[in-house]
């Protein structure tokens, strides 16, 4: 039995299969991204930082933030971000300082060593963006379309968390 979904010839089962394929791809792409970052640092013989920590440094950039802010932005889960920030401070990639207003809160920012890691990740991403376009794998406009779709999915999931329960 085929249930009409608004797409000629499509069933709810087809929609679910396509959605599940999309979820699996998003998950695999994230893991592959971490593997690509890990390989880059292994090639450079930088072994005291993992891919998640390097990506965290990249996402923080020149900002000064708290762990709570990173969690609120949706980048990381609370326990993950706290652990990784602690390790980054211990290894000299980040400075930390207690907030004057709330002594329980700690603000972090990149050290010069952390900015070097951020630069490595930024250069890697720039090479990949150029390679995708040069090889004709994905063009700029198609990436824009992909980003629009992914933002819509992000907004939908965010609404599910905030408003359904």
């Amino acid at each position: 039995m085929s249930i009409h979904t608004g797409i000629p010839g499509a069933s709810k089962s087809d929609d679910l299969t396509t959605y599940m394929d999309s979820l699996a791809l998003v998950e695999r792409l994230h893991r592959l991204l971490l593997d690509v970052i890990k390989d880059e640092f292994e090639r450079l013989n930088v072994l005291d930082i993992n891919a998640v920590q390097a990506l965290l440094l990249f996402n923080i950039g020149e900002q000064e933030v708290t762990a709570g802010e990173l969690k609120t932005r949706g980048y990381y889960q609370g326990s993950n971000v706290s652990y990784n920030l602690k390790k980054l401070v211990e290894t000299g990639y980040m400075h930390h300082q207690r907030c004057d207003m709330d002594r329980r809160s700690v603000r972090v920012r990149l050290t010069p060593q952390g900015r070097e890691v951020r630069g490595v990740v930024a250069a890697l991403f720039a090479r990949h963006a150029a390679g995708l376009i040069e090889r004709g794998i994905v063009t700029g406009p198609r990436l824009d379309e992909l980003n629009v779709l992914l933002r819509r999915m992000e907004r939908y999931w965010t609404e599910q968390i905030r408003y359904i329960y």
Side-chain angles (χ1 to χ4, degrees), residues 11-48:
S11 69
K12 284 197 177 198
S13 176
D14 293 338
D15 291 344
L16 178 59
T17 299
T18 302
Y19 179 65
M20 296 306 293
D21 287 346
S22 297
L23 293 179
L25 278 168
V26 167
E27 186 179 1
R28 272 198 317 271
L29 285 170
H30 178 67
R31 283 195 310 268
L32 280 170
L33 172 63
L34 294 176
D35 286 344
V36 165
I37 293 169
K38 176 180 149 293
D39 288 349
E40 181 73 4
F41 281 92
E42 286 177 356
R43 274 193 285 281
L44 296 171
N45 203 32
V46 177
L47 306 174
D48 62 339

Side-chain angles (χ1 to χ4, degrees), residues 134-152:
E134 286 170 11
R135 293 181 181 181
I137 297 168
V138 178
T139 62
R142 295 301 303 247
L143 280 174
D144 288 336
E145 291 174 33
L146 175 63
N147 289 340
V148 166
L149 293 173
L150 290 172
R151 282 189 187 99
R152 287 179 184 167

Side-chain angles (χ1 to χ4, degrees), residues 84-102:
N84 284 306
L85 289 176
K86 180 181 175 203
K87 291 306 244 182
L88 289 166
V89 168
E90 288 173 2
T91 52
Y93 290 103
M94 298 198 83
H95 289 293
H96 74 289
Q97 180 179 351
R98 293 238 173 251
C99 294
D100 293 333
M101 300 295 282
D102 181 357

